[in-house]
């Protein structure tokens, strides 16, 4: 599995958990808490690995430095929203609205990476090299 397949796999899992969370209601407190805990941990780990292995390589001395910094900024915004969500009870309307905003932003970011970022990155990190990362 190369880095692009691995990142796409993480993206698909994030989409699945986000969709499950969006289907819950305020009455499903335990389900929301369990899914949100998984989502937070998985997204945090994904961001850290992506930033350390993938973006760091593309950021310095490549024509993708602006794209890399944009992606890093999107990670930062997503992490901030995750922290804000922790301040609201999962049973509140505010939590549901804020999670919807987060999921829309994350979905946009995932799509942008897969459709725009990956094709550009593959020119700099071809698949055989990406398998070594």
């Amino acid at each position: 599995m190369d880095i692009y397949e691995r990142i796409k796999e993480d993206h698909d899992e994030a989409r699945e958990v986000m969709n499950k969370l969006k289907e819950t209601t305020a009455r499903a407190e335990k389900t929301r808490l369990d899914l949100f805990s998984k989502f937070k941990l998985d997204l945090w780990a994904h961001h850290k690995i992506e930033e350390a292995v993938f973006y760091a390589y593309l950021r310095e001395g490549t024509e993708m430095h602006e794209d890399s910094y944009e992606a890093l900024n999107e990670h930062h915004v997503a992490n901030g929203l995750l922290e804000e969500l922790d301040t609201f009870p999962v049973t509140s309307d505010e939590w549901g609205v804020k999670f919807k905003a987060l999921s829309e932003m994350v979905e946009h970011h995932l799509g942008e990476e897969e459709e725009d970022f990956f094709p550009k990155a593959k020119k700099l990190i071809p698949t055989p090299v990406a398998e070594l990362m």
Side-chain angles (χ1 to χ4, degrees):
M1 173 179 296
D2 69 33
I3 194 166
Y4 303 102
E5 293 167 331
R6 180 66 181 119
I7 292 171
K8 175 70 167 78
E9 189 176 90
D10 284 354
H11 289 179
D12 291 343
E13 187 172 330
R15 286 181 179 106
E16 183 179 326
V17 175
M18 283 190 302
N19 287 333
K20 286 179 181 177
L21 271 163
K22 287 189 286 189
E23 290 172 1
T24 65
T25 65
R27 291 177 24 191
E29 183 176 7
K30 180 166 176 14
T31 301
R32 271 190 178 177
L33 286 171
D34 291 347
L35 287 170
F36 187 60
S37 290
K38 176 181 177 24
F39 180 72
K40 281 190 311 188
L41 180 60
D42 290 352
L43 194 61
W44 179 84
H46 176 78
H47 285 173
K48 292 301 178 195
I49 292 167
E50 206 171 55
E51 291 167 12
V53 176
F54 194 55
Y55 292 147
Y57 182 86
L58 296 169
R59 190 170 49 240
E60 301 302 324
T62 74
E63 64 267 18
M64 289 195 65
H65 68 278
E66 286 184 25
D67 293 324
S68 294
Y69 285 118
E70 178 185 343
L72 288 169
N73 186 54
E74 289 173 352
H75 284 188
H76 178 74
V77 171
N79 290 338
L81 286 170
L82 286 170
E83 288 178 20
E84 285 184 42
L85 279 164
D86 273 335
T87 68
F88 295 101
V90 296
T91 56
S92 70
D93 290 339
E94 292 94 345
W95 192 94
V97 170
K98 194 163 289 285
F99 183 78
K100 183 178 181 209
L102 170 65
S103 65
E104 288 171 358
M105 195 214 71
V106 169
E107 184 58 50
H108 168 80
H109 173 76
L110 302 180
E112 195 171 63
E113 273 188 343
E114 294 167 5
E115 295 167 19
D116 185 47
F117 198 89
F118 284 6
K120 290 179 187 176
K122 284 180 180 179
K123 294 176 185 172
L124 299 171
I125 309 173
T127 301
V129 173
E131 290 171 357
L132 301 173
M133 295 184 103

